[in-house]
Amino acid sequence: MIALLASLKKESLLLMRDWHALALLFLMPALFIIIMSLALQDRFGAEQGMELAGQFNDQASTRDARLFRQQLELSPYLSLQDSTRPLSTSGELYAITLTADFSQALEARTDKPGVMLRFAPELGGRERALIRAAVQETAGQLRATAIAEELGYDKQYAEQEFLLTHLIVDATDTHSDQPALPSAVQQNVPAWLIFAMFFIAIPLSTAIIDERQQRTFIRLRTLGTSVGLIYSAKILPYFVINLLQLVLMLMLGIFLMPLLGGEALHLPAPQIPALLIMAVCTSLTALAAASLIASAARTTEQAAIASAAGNLLLAALGGVMVPVFMMPASLQSVAELSPMHWALSGFIELLVRQGSWSDIAAPAFKLLGLAALLFTAAWALIQRSTRHA
């Protein structure tokens, strides 16, 4: 125990002296969380609205055209302006132009188009589809109302008999506090926390290799210090750092993000123990990966490249950079192979759906299983190198 405490003190002092690297471990995920949460807060999340600015040009100047615009402006997603400026993501994103044949086209008395749509080249397919759907819905409502009036009925009859508004009922539990999808903060806080936990492989693996190259490892062995104690003393301080990262990133989401104009992260008290378990499982897997890299690499350059490349690949596939639910089906299947996705799915289950222990059992056990496998492989390589030292 005395030897372990002495080793832990040595490693802690080395860590504190390298304060640049220590600061990076906390500043990097914090900056990513702030930037990505603010940048994507209007892209997804149940409570985040989307209002797309666009142009409306009326070449018809008819009653139907005026009714069309009035109905279209009721859409919560569209913001229409009278403008002819070039379309761009920094201004109007789309242009809706009613042609001179609009009324005839609405009444199906001509084959010519009644509405022309133009989009900014950078506008995504999701937004384009939303705008088309709003225009199509508005045209359908006006046409159904006109037919009902010709038959002697009112707008309510048109909505019930022609538009079948009673056919679809929103079955979402409006009294539930659980959104269907994570908000930007709920996605990015655990995502970049996990990335930071795995990023710790770079300083840990390079520190181990540096001691090996400087023959510090051999000197400790000649003093009777066991291999297990040496590596345990290396790993434990980084394990504590991972847990501190958890606390600080959660505090950032809860207190700082609202001050910066983002959504606050809500952390239900019953989920805190389960969040801690997910953090422990994630940290052990990250430390196991770092140990394997340190035992397999021969130089600090090899370890740094392997750690950085591996982390970026796992993050890209695991839903850290792009949420998995936004990926095509083929990539979603590949994402299941990333341990970062296992960890992120567990955090999302707790933060978004307020899941129970049983809901995180699968990702937690997968992380622990992988950690055990990686630690075993690292230990085998360490024992082999020790025998040949």
Side-chain angles (χ1 to χ4, degrees), residues 201-254:
I202 296 178
L204 175 56
S205 59
T206 54
I208 292 175
I209 292 174
D210 278 338
E211 284 205 351
R212 201 163 60 211
Q213 291 177 338
Q214 295 167 4
R215 315 301 289 179
T216 304
F217 180 81
I218 297 297
R219 289 196 292 272
L220 289 173
R221 291 286 292 130
T222 58
L223 295 174
T225 309
S226 67
V227 175
L229 188 146
I230 295 173
Y231 278 88
S232 296
K234 278 286 183 187
I235 291 172
L236 282 175
Y238 287 96
F239 178 76
V240 174
I241 289 176
N242 279 343
L243 297 185
L244 289 176
Q245 286 175 325
L246 169 71
V247 174
L248 292 178
M249 296 311 112
L250 290 178
M251 293 300 100
L252 184 150
I254 295 171

Side-chain angles (χ1 to χ4, degrees), residues 125-182:
R126 174 191 175 195
E127 289 78 10
R128 296 187 185 210
L130 182 63
I131 295 167
R132 289 193 190 98
V135 171
Q136 187 69 49
E137 180 184 8
T138 301
Q141 288 175 339
L142 288 182
R143 180 58 178 156
T145 302
I147 294 175
E149 290 176 350
E150 291 176 1
L151 296 175
Y153 298 104
D154 57 10
K155 182 179 180 181
Q156 183 179 1
Y157 179 87
E159 291 178 349
Q160 292 181 350
E161 299 300 324
F162 298 152
L163 298 176
L164 301 178
T165 53
H166 65 284
L167 180 65
I168 303 173
V169 177
D170 188 353
T172 304
D173 183 4
T174 56
H175 300 289
S176 175
D177 294 330
Q178 301 179 30
L181 293 175

